[in-house]
Amino acid sequence: MSTLSSKVKNPNIKIEDDRTGMSKETLKRAFLDHLFYIQGVDQSKASLRDYYVALSYTVRDRLLHRFLKTIETYKKEEVKIVSYFSAEFLMGRQLGNNMVNLGLYNTMKEIIEEMDLDMDDIIEQEPDPGLGNGGLGRLAACFLDSLASLSMPAIGYGIRYEFGIFHQTIQDGWQVEIPDNWLRFENPWEISRPNEAVEIKLGGHTEKTHDDNGNLKSFWVADRTILAIPYDTPVPGYKTNLVNPLRLWKAEASESFNFEAFNAGHYDRAVEEKMGAETISKVLYPNDNTPAGRKLRLEQQYFFVSASLQDLIRIHLRNHDNLDQFPEKVAVQLNDTHPAVAVAELMRLLVDKHDYTWDKAWEITTKTLAYTNHTLMPEALERWPVTIFGELLPRHLEIIYELNYRFLENVRTWFPNDDELVSNISLIEERSEKLIRMANLACLGSHAINGVAALHTQLLKQDTLKYFARLWPEKFYNKTNGVTPRRWILLSNPRLSSLITEKIGDGWLKNLDEMRKLEQFVDDAEFRKQWHEIKQANKRDLAAYLLKYRNIEIDPNTMFDIQVKRIHEYKRQHLMVLEIINLYNRMKHDPNGDYVPRTFLFGGKAAPGYFMAKLIIKLVNAVADVVNNDPDVRGRLKVVFMPNFNVSLGQRVYPAADLSEQISTAGKEASGTGNMKFAMNGALTIGTLDGANIEIREEAGAENFFLFGLTAQEVYDRKAQGYSPSDYYHNNGNLKGVIDRISSGYFSHGNCELFQPIVDQLMNDDPYMLMADYQAYVDCQDAVSQAYRDQDNWTRMAILNSARMGKFSSDRTIAEYCEQIWNVESVDIKLEEYKPNGSKN
């Protein structure tokens, strides 16, 4: 009898399944098996890419064990599920995060190192999918992590973009966009489900018909049918058995090849339908500066919303005869206005496909949907031309007009003769070109509307959505954003995580409020010394990474002053540039002065069609080119633009930062989440009273936050009184010297016209109040330098920042959503123990 047979027959000996076992020996065996059987190579010929795929499948096996049991439990217990609809999911690399959440990271790291490999090199092989533009998509990813970590039943719905947001390169100082082909190689984390595809209709017209009861009904005769193919990515919680799905839809043609056209010699026409259909999920956010781009973006939004709602209805009807109880089993959260067409689509499905009366369908719709607003700027609220909308979605246009008619009739009854109210809440904006207001549609069709920071929600009710707040104040909630501490501290900052756990245990990873316990060590000199050494080590790591992968050299012995976020005028990257030029001017004027050495680091992408944002990137690089090559300031001042900022680079940047730049114009940033990631990792913040900065300052303590600038009310008042930015130029010699340095062509090889658009806007319009905030910012930066000179006290402030960031865990945010908006409860997932004979008994 073989040794294996002996063990199988001995009930006292445990045998781990190579697919599910968690011991070091089993994991190593599974890893090498995947290398051989999946990649078809042995260790002598394996590349880093081979090792990455083998390791990913080893981890995925353990995920799937939990994933399938989670889905089975949801079906069996008929739980209520949160469905998070988002056009963006900026998930970041999966391998490291999944190992952390499964509790496998340290064990696998040991195995990798014993094989003379480096875990960082293997993780670096994974593409960082750019399926989001910034904070919106990263928030969605953090929310999925927290939902799973809190054992809340959920599914994320979005689009499987073949090409994510562009890969950014810098050529001659300018941003250049190249395709983000993240699917060039296989993606080991996704599971294709073609048997669960759904049909999506587009275009055509509507016809009137009578149902069996003689009621007049509208019938949509579409001229195109596209298939939505789901791809599921398992999303594990931290040290739980629950693994939720992220379901992303890929567009395919219903008939991918036209043999008749091919045989007639029309080879392009033979695949025309396939190419047209697949365009929908081809790229994240097509440039909407053209009619074709706008039309494609609307197609994308409807495509994933319709597919997701059809999927949810199909799942519900597996266990129920009708959709009467749909809101009791499904909570749909609309992440901004991109999925707002869900209001009309759910009504269409209920009325046209499932024969509900209008009133009953509306009751189900409004009880199911909730809406998160992410912007205070009216120009950023989506509006679709009625012509484009009607061409693509003729039945939905009818529904929206009917909704609007009924809604406005009620409002006129409630508030007679209030034409201003009626005009502002109408779903249709009456211009020369009629527009559908998607934010209004979302507000009307949702039972809850929330902002994402205290100030943001307040301003929504006072300004952006004030008319809806007047109608339904009870609909409005604040849900201050948060980020997951698993990715943004544990995975990103392992040294600091180890120190924290050594001092207070590991409970903080599931309850970030426990970080408050660190305050008891703030007066411990040895603890401060350890904290400071970790920061310096993280700075050295970032410097080594940038040198190795970006050919950028920085000095870790300087202050790292960092702004990384989407490039936009309201975020005011160019205010930071003005301060750099101010420092440069001072150093040139007084080269022997005592200056704190600084490295200013920028990162972020500008939208391809956003000229001013691209010009700001050029200005950063132009200033860097001059400053970094001037021997008068060498060693004391350096400027760096880090190309292609993404989640993976963020994981290295946040732990290395000394100073976090959160300098948006007050009243413009909804919340921000980068500010939270910086503060959690011990960076001090220089910022305005904007977005979540206000709450971060409240938590950290005003004495541990560098505050400057006008408040939101002061910005409003200053503009109402007649704001003249040129007055600041004429009355501030320091500011004048900075602006003149740019205007003179000093940073553009004598070309005085290159940056003139920036100068003209600052001097004549300055919508984001840089000129008004300039001197306050400069003075605050001087206070930063003074504080940084006392490294021991700076470290003390950094510890208190980290210790007091418990509020900004996405676990807290999600717990509030679950209790106050979604009404969902946690689910306990029990895994069966592996049985050698394959039975469950």
Side-chain angles (χ1 to χ4, degrees), residues 133-134 165-170 174-176 550 562-568 571 573 601-607 613-614 616-618 620-621 640-646 649 653:
N133 189 34
I165 191 170
F166 58 88
H167 182 95
Q168 180 194 56
T169 63
I170 302 297
W174 293 97
Q175 169 179 292
V176 175
R550 311 291 173 97
I562 304 180
Q563 188 179 33
V564 286
K565 56 184 67 188
R566 184 165 49 93
I567 308 297
H568 197 290
K571 295 178 185 289
Q573 283 89 355
L601 292 144
F602 294 82
K605 297 178 181 180
K614 286 186 162 184
I616 288 171
I617 291 176
K618 174 63 175 176
V620 171
N621 284 299
V640 168
F641 188 91
M642 300 176 289
N644 202 47
F645 183 75
N646 55 19
L649 182 53
V653 166

Side-chain angles (χ1 to χ4, degrees), residues 57-82:
Y57 275 105
T58 303
V59 175
R60 194 184 91 154
D61 287 344
R62 277 103 192 124
L63 283 179
L64 290 183
H65 183 207
R66 291 159 174 76
F67 180 60
L68 296 175
K69 186 61 182 178
T70 297
I71 300 305
E72 178 187 327
T73 303
Y74 290 171
K75 291 178 181 177
K76 182 178 179 181
E77 298 186 10
E78 294 188 31
V79 300
K80 184 174 185 179
I81 296 177
V82 175

